[in-house]
Amino acid sequence: MSHTHSPSPAGAPAPAAPAGAFAPLRRTTFAVLWAATVLGNTGSFMRDVASAWLVTDLSASPAAVAMVQAAAMLPVFLLAIPAGVLSDILDRRRFLIVIQAGLALVSLSLLLLSSAGAMTVASLVALTFLGGVGAALVAPTWQSIVPELVPRAEMKSAVALNSLGVNIARAIGPAAGGVLLAAFGAAVTYGADVASYLLVIAALWWWRRAPGAEDALSESFAGAFRAGLRYARSSRELHVVLLRAACFFAFASAVWALLPLVARELLKGDAAYYGLLLGSVGAGAILGALLMPRLRGRLDADGMVLVAALVTAAATASLALAPPRWAAVPILLAMGGAWIIALTTLNATAQSILPNWVRGRALAVYLTVFNGAMAAGSITWGIVAQQIGLSAALVTAGAGLALAGLALHRIRLPQGEADLTPSLHWPEPLLAQDVAQDRGPVLILVEYRVAQEDRPAFLDALCRLSAARRRDGAYGWGVTEDAADPGLLVEWFLVESWAEHLRQHRRVSHADADVQAEALKWHRGEGPPRVRHCIGLSALP
């Protein structure tokens, strides 16, 4: 394990120019899967409209209405991290096909119950929960396959197109679902969702995914799960994003949870009108996505999130005033624009601070917080509305969101400008004989010789380096001094197995290497620091 960082070679190619916004659609596989996901999401939004409206026929309780929203979000809160692990260790194409088939069966069950007039609140919540389980399992996998479909230069455009596709579906699906629901009933609306899943399965079946290469250091489910949690626990930058997201979505969830009751009770609308309102949110999201490049030229990420919070708060409070039905459409257009600005800004910030090796799992943590805040918020605002009334609950949520946005504006989002690509500057450890990969724990000792006057600066750099050690796999870290020779400082860290330490070699980024080089400036020994690897014995007398 070397502690030097080589600069890039002088002849290295210049970074590729940014791809055009629609360049990925010229790639057949991406275009087919993108179109399939737009249709699939459109069907899902149609199903959600039918379920949200149907529960108001089954029960007038705000808590029951909010439970349907919570049932859709709660599984993602519970399963996002395991789903992120599965997306890294299973064949993604086959995994997606199986889950899409399961989701089609859920919608088919909704169709049969509604057509037979046998639907109850309990069955609707249970099937909505199962649909949420499927959505939780596939969400990280859909994000993870993008690098397989487009070259690196088109990645940002592909991610933006995926976001645009979701919002196209959000604009079309609720409105189409409301029309179908009003004209033909819930069974036909659920049938349209079943058909959309069949189209997605056909597209995935058509895709011929290249088989993954065998990797001697491939992770088990349990090991990958622990590595993802270690990274999330040790990344302070991720903690800031998660805090800002949790506070925003916990308050903003009030509108999503209570909108069916707003449409029916405050605004005296029917199912088609409810679909129109949801479609307005989706249309506003598309407009917001188109406005974002201009806003980025004037505001940083913190400013974008603050503006989104204030606009969403104003929209929430405005609905509490029971405005004319036509006025609710522009209010929800504005809220949709603010929603996508917050969602995209927070998601992009999370993406920018994550290295590729843990991206799926760490994004799953973000999804867990997002959906947990939405589910908890939905339940909370349903109960609050039942206790103090619908209008008062909306005003309370709007005021809380505005205050939280202003208070958290001082906790700045990370810039995400560090180079997180692997530096690969650690050589393979020297071994007297081969070491079994499952042996452990492994104690790594790094010996530095540091002058007394340089010790504060050295320890400051080393403490920053410790965060990287923990993110990349260490579960314990410390620094000691030699009692007989105070100029000799020994950094130590523990890794659970030999295989995990070899993976750590692959994970060290260029940004980590720069911090490591800063610590090395204070090393005064002859040659690089001495590194030792001590492996736990499996049997002791």
Side-chain angles (χ1 to χ4, degrees):
M1 185 171 73
S2 170
H3 287 263
T4 58
H5 174 36
S6 300
S8 301
F22 297 98
L25 292 176
R26 293 197 292 265
R27 303 185 182 276
T28 304
T29 303
F30 178 86
V32 169
L33 292 178
W34 182 84
T37 56
V38 171
L39 290 173
N41 285 326
T42 300
S44 298
F45 284 120
M46 294 168 71
R47 178 200 65 200
D48 292 344
V49 166
S51 295
W53 193 258
L54 190 56
V55 74
T56 63
D57 286 334
L58 298 172
S59 173
S61 166
V65 175
M67 278 296 294
V68 172
Q69 176 75 17
M73 295 294 181
L74 186 59
V76 185
F77 171 68
L78 298 174
L79 298 175
I81 298 175
V85 176
L86 290 173
S87 73
D88 288 338
I89 64 178
L90 296 178
D91 182 284
R92 289 167 180 162
R93 172 179 167 272
R94 293 178 183 174
F95 183 60
L96 286 170
I97 289 174
V98 169
I99 301 302
Q100 295 295 320
L103 286 168
L105 289 175
V106 169
S107 290
L108 182 61
S109 300
L110 288 166
L111 184 160
L112 295 174
L113 286 173
S114 59
S115 62
M119 187 73 76
T120 65
V121 172
S123 60
L124 182 59
V125 170
L127 288 169
T128 300
F129 183 84
L130 289 177
V133 169
L137 292 176
V138 300
T141 309
W142 277 120
Q143 294 187 44
S144 300
I145 67 172
V146 174
E148 301 181 39
L149 306 178
V150 298
R152 184 176 180 83
E154 296 178 8
M155 272 290 296
K156 288 185 178 180
S157 297
V159 171
L161 280 170
N162 283 342
S163 178
L164 178 63
V166 170
N167 287 294
I168 289 173
R170 192 189 300 277
I172 297 173
V179 170
L180 282 179
L181 186 62
F184 303 105
V188 171
T189 311
Y190 289 134
D193 186 37
V194 173
S196 74
Y197 285 122
L198 297 179
L199 289 172
V200 175
I201 291 170
L204 289 166
W205 196 271
W206 166 85
W207 176 31
R208 289 294 175 260
R209 180 175 183 252
E214 291 294 326
D215 186 357
L217 292 177
S218 60
E219 297 177 89
S220 66
F221 179 89
F225 188 88
R226 289 193 299 272
L229 289 182
R230 267 197 306 269
Y231 186 95
R233 187 171 63 245
S234 303
S235 175
R236 295 184 65 83
E237 290 186 326
L238 183 59
H239 297 168
V240 172
V241 179
L242 297 181
L243 173 64
R244 298 288 297 273
C247 291
F248 179 90
F249 295 118
F251 286 104
S253 64
V255 172
W256 295 103
L258 302 174
L259 191 57
L261 292 173
V262 171
R264 170 167 270 183
E265 295 184 7
L266 289 183
L267 304 180
K268 310 301 181 185
D270 57 10
Y273 179 69
Y274 173 58
L276 173 64
L277 293 183
L278 286 178
S280 299
V281 177
I286 294 173
L287 291 174
L290 295 175
L291 286 173
M292 280 191 69
R294 288 188 180 183
L295 290 175
R296 285 196 189 105
R298 300 183 178 184
L299 299 171
D300 59 7
D302 292 286
M304 300 271 277
V305 174
L306 177 59
V307 167
L310 295 177
V311 171
T312 303
T316 304
S318 297
L319 291 175
L321 302 177
R325 279 193 290 178
W326 64 265
V329 172
I331 288 172
L332 289 171
L333 277 171
M335 197 201 87
W339 179 267
I340 198 62
I341 287 170
L343 189 66
T344 302
T345 302
L346 291 167
N347 190 281
T349 302
Q351 290 265 15
S352 70
I353 62 173
L354 298 175
N356 286 332
W357 70 267
V358 77
R359 186 178 302 276
R361 282 162 277 181
L363 283 175
V365 173
Y366 173 82
L367 288 174
T368 299
V369 171
F370 165 66
N371 287 281
M374 290 290 290
S378 295
I379 294 172
T380 300
W381 294 116
I383 294 172
V384 170
Q386 194 159 314
Q387 296 297 319
I388 67 174
L390 186 57
S391 294
L394 290 169
V395 170
T396 303
L401 179 55
L403 292 173
L406 291 168
L408 293 175
H409 184 64
R410 294 178 295 177
I411 304 176
R412 311 298 287 180
L413 289 166
Q415 297 298 310
E417 296 175 351
D419 183 356
L420 301 179
T421 55
S423 63
L424 302 176
H425 71 289
W426 290 4
E428 293 298 310
L430 297 176
L431 300 174
Q433 57 186 6
D434 289 340
V435 177
Q437 290 192 2
D438 61 351
R439 279 193 62 185
V442 181
L443 173 65
I444 297 94
L445 303 171
V446 188
E447 299 179 356
Y448 305 89
R449 186 158 292 280
V450 180
Q452 189 67 33
E453 62 272 18
D454 296 334
R455 181 179 288 197
F458 169 76
L459 291 177
D460 178 69
L462 207 61
C463 284
R464 284 185 282 122
L465 184 60
S466 74
R469 307 285 202 210
R470 294 179 188 275
R471 288 195 304 265
D472 292 345
Y475 65 85
W477 178 91
V479 59
T480 63
E481 67 177 1
D482 190 323
D485 183 2
L488 181 62
L489 301 183
V490 181
E491 178 196 11
W492 61 268
F493 53 97
L494 283 162
V495 182
E496 66 181 26
S497 68
W498 185 248
E500 187 67 7
H501 179 56
L502 295 181
R503 295 186 194 106
Q504 197 176 25
H505 278 237
R506 297 180 178 182
R507 295 168 180 168
V508 177
S509 70
H510 285 287
D512 299 335
D514 289 338
V515 178
Q516 191 174 306
E518 187 175 339
L520 278 176
K521 290 191 307 185
W522 311 109
H523 173 62
R524 297 291 181 257
E526 294 182 4
R530 181 187 178 191
V531 180
R532 288 186 287 163
H533 300 82
C534 304
I535 306 175
L537 295 175
S538 57
L540 293 173

